[in-house]
Amino acid sequence: MKDIIKSNEYIIGVDVGGTKILSIIVNYKYEIISRYRKKTKGWSNSSKPEKRIIETIEESIEAAGNPKICGIGIGAPGPVDPKNGIIINTPNVGWENFHVVDILSKHFSVPVVLDNDVNLGTYAEWILGGNENTKHVIGVFPGTGIGGGLIINRKIIHGASGGAGEIGHMTLQIDGPLCGCGKRGCLEALASRIAIAKEIMALILRGESPYLSDKIGTDISKLRSGVIADAIENGEKKVEDIVRRAAYLTGVAIANLINVLSPELIILGGGLVEALGKIYLEEIQKAVKEHAMPFLRKKVQIVKGKLGDDAVALGATLLYVQKIKKNKEEI
Amino acid sequence: MKDIIKSNEYIIGVDVGGTKILSIIVNYKYEIISRYRKKTKGWSNSSKPEKRIIETIEESIEAAGNPKICGIGIGAPGPVDPKNGIIINTPNVGWENFHVVDILSKHFSVPVVLDNDVNLGTYAEWILGGNENTKHVIGVFPGTGIGGGLIINRKIIHGASGGAGEIGHMTLQIDGPLCGCGKRGCLEALASRIAIAKEIMALILRGESPYLSDKIGTDISKLRSGVIADAIENGEKKVEDIVRRAAYLTGVAIANLINVLSPELIILGGGLVEALGKIYLEEIQKAVKEHAMPFLRKKVQIVKGKLGDDAVALGATLLYVQKIKKNKEEI
């Protein structure tokens, strides 16, 4: 990168998610020199969804002392059209056909690039997380949804529609519970944070989780990954069982991906893994042993990502470098 | 190909399967000029499994009038190591670590190349079946097993182990029926010809399939795809329901692949689809509509392959041309 980006040039990486928007600025060594975050809440109904993104970016530029910005990379949830720079739709946020690249490149007068957030998170963990020696990598990010990023032969798989990697909507239980996508039995309906919260709320209503009853009452919106981890830490076995089951089912989906794609590395990230990493690693290892074929799984490493909350935004800066500076059509 | 293979040179393509071995010879236009077939039966225990392959190839050469052979391509079931030319293991046949490329190239004194049979069948349907304008293609071949071939960005996906594409061992029902691989709930355990036969034999034993009782008695080995098609043709509704369910479940697995990989074309082949194509197409379309995400499935075409029994052997001749004549490491 040293030869490609000058030492006085900086790149902005933006992670626009369902709950937060994060803008970081990196230098030519991918060191983060400023970081600014805003809640997404409230802006989904705005007629100008770009307003809040622009504000967040501007705050991060100011926090960095107004350096020279050479470009912006954006990671967004749901299906995106990277070629045309359009967020196709994000059911949880409410955008549809949002021409984010056009708008931001006009506003900031620099090149802007876009890809799916999980693709970029996986890409960053691959390149900046010390895994670049591998060729076939799958990133799995369980949270409110469960996203997947696929790197095959050192390239992100976008597929014909541009939106490949929807591992959260892999059917694991025909006629299973209803998913946000309208189907039944998707991995997300069985194992996302919402699926976990649903089960834990039933525990609370039945008086089977005194710790959580005390901490959050019956307000499901307060049931964050950290609180769940605290409950388990405090010996709530039934809460642990629910998390273990979700992690195991995530592992079954990962085993299916191993059977189909034969990766050498699985990188886990996202809020649930950050807070409950040990349980996730244990249960996923177990599920992979039970559901992936021996010759396909024997050399697969399963690890926790290293970049935490910055993964997507860092991946967006990498995307900018690959596409604009190295002129690669795809990463 | 005209510039690459001279008009007096011929290529051999061999499909070594669990039930038959097929050797074809093609000219520089991929026209089949001879075809020879032997049953696999009985040779799995032989100390020299290559004997029968060599015999079959020699018969096909003789049948073609001993033309000048420039190379051999081989398609084999189960995991293979294409780089080193080794069939790793084929549980249904009994080979393990079978150095087929070394042996045949020494015997015939020409270059020999190897890949998985379903990969090659998919590749042939892609190139020779008139689908080369597509970039992302999945081949699905339901039969005794259920194989998958993945073409992403115009390349077959082998993955880190070389053995990617084991879609038959995608878990679709946790704790479901036992599979030949030792796991439970694999697609193959739910929807292969063996799974179908198991259910139909129960019908026969309960006296619920008079047509099949009459045709094959209780000898499950006689329950071939064609006989099943005849029973349905003769109005046996319960037999049809069993086949429809298997086809539907195959479609759920295909929907999962669409969600993960976003292909633009699904090619169906293999014995069950050859005999029961209409039912398979209907049920797979239905399952894809119900289990794949709209933006990923809307442009996906689902078609029956055109090359029938020759697909794998033809794919093997293409493999030879790509690897030896065009010096491509992978196809």
Side-chain angles (χ1 to χ4, degrees), chain A residues 33 65 68 90 105 113 207 214 245 263 273 281 293 319:
Chain A
I33 62 154
K68 185 184 171 195
T90 49
S105 60
V113 294
D214 187 49
R245 180 70 181 169
V273 173
L281 274 170
M293 305 201 79
L319 177 72

Side-chain angles (χ1 to χ4, degrees), chain A residues 79 136 150 152 157 159-161 163-166 169-172 174 183 249 256 259-260 262 290-291 293 295-296, chain B residues 79 136 150 152 157 159-161 163-166 169-172 174 183 249 256 259-260 262 290-291 293 295-296:
Chain A
H136 309 283
L150 315 174
I152 305 286
I157 298 304
S161 69
E166 288 290 343
H169 301 287
M170 182 192 288
T171 300
L172 278 189
I174 292 155
K183 305 198 295 139
L249 291 169
N256 283 347
N259 288 331
V260 170
S262 187
E290 289 174 4
H291 293 274
M293 305 201 79
F295 77 97
L296 294 169
Chain B
H136 310 284
L150 315 175
I152 305 287
I157 298 303
S161 70
E166 288 290 342
H169 300 286
M170 183 192 286
T171 300
L172 278 189
I174 292 156
K183 305 197 297 136
L249 291 170
N256 283 348
N259 287 332
V260 171
S262 186
E290 289 173 4
H291 293 273
M293 304 202 78
F295 77 96
L296 294 169

Side-chain angles (χ1 to χ4, degrees), chain B residues 97-319:
Chain B
N97 226 19
F98 174 24
H99 289 243
V100 64
V101 164
D102 256 10
I103 292 168
L104 295 186
S105 59
K106 269 178 202 146
H107 185 94
F108 290 100
S109 305
V110 293
V112 179
V113 294
L114 168 75
D115 205 331
N116 171 272
D117 53 2
V118 181
N119 285 350
L120 295 180
T122 303
Y123 198 71
E125 291 287 2
W126 180 51
I127 302 266
L128 302 176
N131 299 303
E132 221 190 335
N133 59 329
T134 55
K135 279 175 72 180
H136 310 284
V137 180
I138 297 178
V140 178
F141 293 74
T144 313
I146 300 178
L150 315 175
I151 294 167
I152 305 287
N153 286 325
R154 304 183 68 82
K155 272 194 158 185
I156 291 182
I157 298 303
H158 290 93
S161 70
E166 288 290 342
I167 68 165
H169 300 286
M170 183 192 286
T171 300
L172 278 189
Q173 187 183 331
I174 292 156
D175 303 323
L178 191 63
C179 183
C181 75
K183 305 197 297 136
R184 285 190 171 274
C186 298
L187 171 64
E188 261 184 42
L190 295 162
S192 68
R193 188 181 4 243
I194 291 175
I196 292 172
K198 198 175 73 173
E199 298 254 320
I200 290 179
M201 284 320 284
L203 281 190
I204 292 175
L205 291 172
R206 288 196 297 261
E208 293 178 324
S209 173
Y211 179 87
L212 287 173
S213 291
D214 187 49
K215 285 283 165 191
I216 66 164
T218 52
D219 183 356
I220 196 168
S221 73
K222 290 183 182 155
L223 198 59
R224 308 200 162 278
S225 304
V227 182
I228 297 171
D230 291 344
I232 294 171
E233 197 73 21
N234 277 271
E236 297 228 324
K237 198 77 193 79
K238 289 193 177 175
V239 173
E240 183 173 338
D241 287 347
I242 289 168
V243 172
R244 283 198 179 272
R245 180 70 180 168
Y248 182 83
L249 291 170
T250 305
V252 174
I254 290 172
N256 283 348
L257 295 171
I258 292 172
N259 287 332
V260 171
L261 295 170
S262 186
E264 60 216 294
L265 178 67
I266 308 286
I267 301 173
L268 305 173
L272 284 164
V273 173
E274 288 294 323
L276 298 150
K278 188 168 165 285
I279 289 178
Y280 266 82
L281 274 170
E282 281 173 15
E283 294 295 326
I284 288 169
Q285 300 271 14
K286 185 167 172 253
V288 164
K289 196 164 173 216
E290 289 173 4
H291 293 273
M293 304 202 78
F295 77 96
L296 294 169
R297 73 170 144 79
K298 68 181 174 195
K299 286 181 188 164
V300 179
Q301 263 202 295
I302 302 174
V303 301
K304 235 185 90 174
K306 291 175 185 155
L307 308 175
D309 273 358
D310 295 324
V312 175
L314 281 168
T317 66
L318 287 168
L319 177 72

Side-chain angles (χ1 to χ4, degrees), chain A residues 56-315:
Chain A
T56 314
I57 294 173
E58 285 175 342
E59 299 269 13
S60 67
I61 297 173
E62 213 182 298
N66 297 300
K68 185 184 171 195
I69 302 300
C70 58
I72 301 173
I74 300 169
V80 303
D81 175 348
K83 224 176 215 164
N84 299 302
I86 301 166
I87 298 176
I88 296 169
N89 74 64
T90 49
N92 299 326
V93 187
W95 299 327
E96 248 181 76
N97 226 17
F98 174 24
H99 289 243
V100 64
V101 164
D102 256 10
I103 292 168
L104 295 186
S105 60
K106 270 179 201 144
H107 186 94
F108 289 100
S109 304
V110 292
V112 179
V113 294
L114 168 75
D115 205 331
N116 170 272
D117 53 2
V118 182
N119 285 350
L120 295 180
T122 303
Y123 198 71
E125 292 286 1
W126 180 50
I127 302 266
L128 302 176
N131 299 302
E132 219 190 337
N133 59 328
T134 54
K135 278 174 73 180
H136 309 283
V137 180
I138 296 178
V140 178
F141 292 74
T144 313
I146 300 179
L150 315 174
I151 294 167
I152 305 286
N153 286 325
R154 304 182 67 82
K155 271 195 159 183
I156 291 182
I157 298 304
H158 290 93
S161 69
E166 288 290 343
I167 67 166
H169 301 287
M170 182 192 288
T171 300
L172 278 189
Q173 187 184 329
I174 292 155
D175 303 324
L178 191 63
C179 183
C181 75
K183 305 198 295 139
R184 285 191 173 273
C186 299
L187 172 63
E188 260 184 44
L190 296 163
S192 69
R193 190 187 356 248
I194 292 174
I196 292 172
K198 198 175 74 174
E199 299 254 320
I200 290 180
M201 284 320 284
L203 281 190
I204 293 175
L205 291 173
R206 288 195 298 261
E208 292 179 325
S209 174
Y211 179 87
L212 287 173
S213 290
D214 187 49
K215 285 282 165 191
I216 67 164
T218 53
D219 183 357
I220 196 168
S221 73
K222 291 184 181 155
L223 198 59
R224 308 200 164 278
S225 304
V227 183
I228 297 171
D230 291 344
I232 295 171
E233 198 72 22
N234 277 274
E236 298 228 324
K237 199 77 193 80
K238 290 194 176 174
V239 173
E240 183 173 341
D241 287 348
I242 288 168
V243 173
R244 284 200 177 270
R245 180 70 181 169
Y248 182 83
L249 291 169
T250 305
V252 174
I254 291 172
N256 283 347
L257 295 172
I258 292 172
N259 288 331
V260 170
L261 295 171
S262 187
E264 60 216 295
L265 178 66
I266 308 285
I267 301 173
L268 306 172
L272 284 164
V273 173
E274 287 295 322
L276 298 150
K278 190 169 163 285
I279 289 178
Y280 266 81
L281 274 170
E282 280 172 16
E283 294 295 326
I284 288 170
Q285 300 271 13
K286 186 166 171 255
V288 165
K289 197 163 173 217
E290 289 174 4
H291 293 274
M293 305 201 79
F295 77 97
L296 294 169
R297 73 170 144 78
K298 68 181 173 195
K299 285 181 189 165
V300 180
Q301 262 202 294
I302 302 174
V303 301
K304 234 185 92 174
K306 290 174 186 156
L307 308 176
D309 272 359
D310 295 324
V312 174
L314 281 169

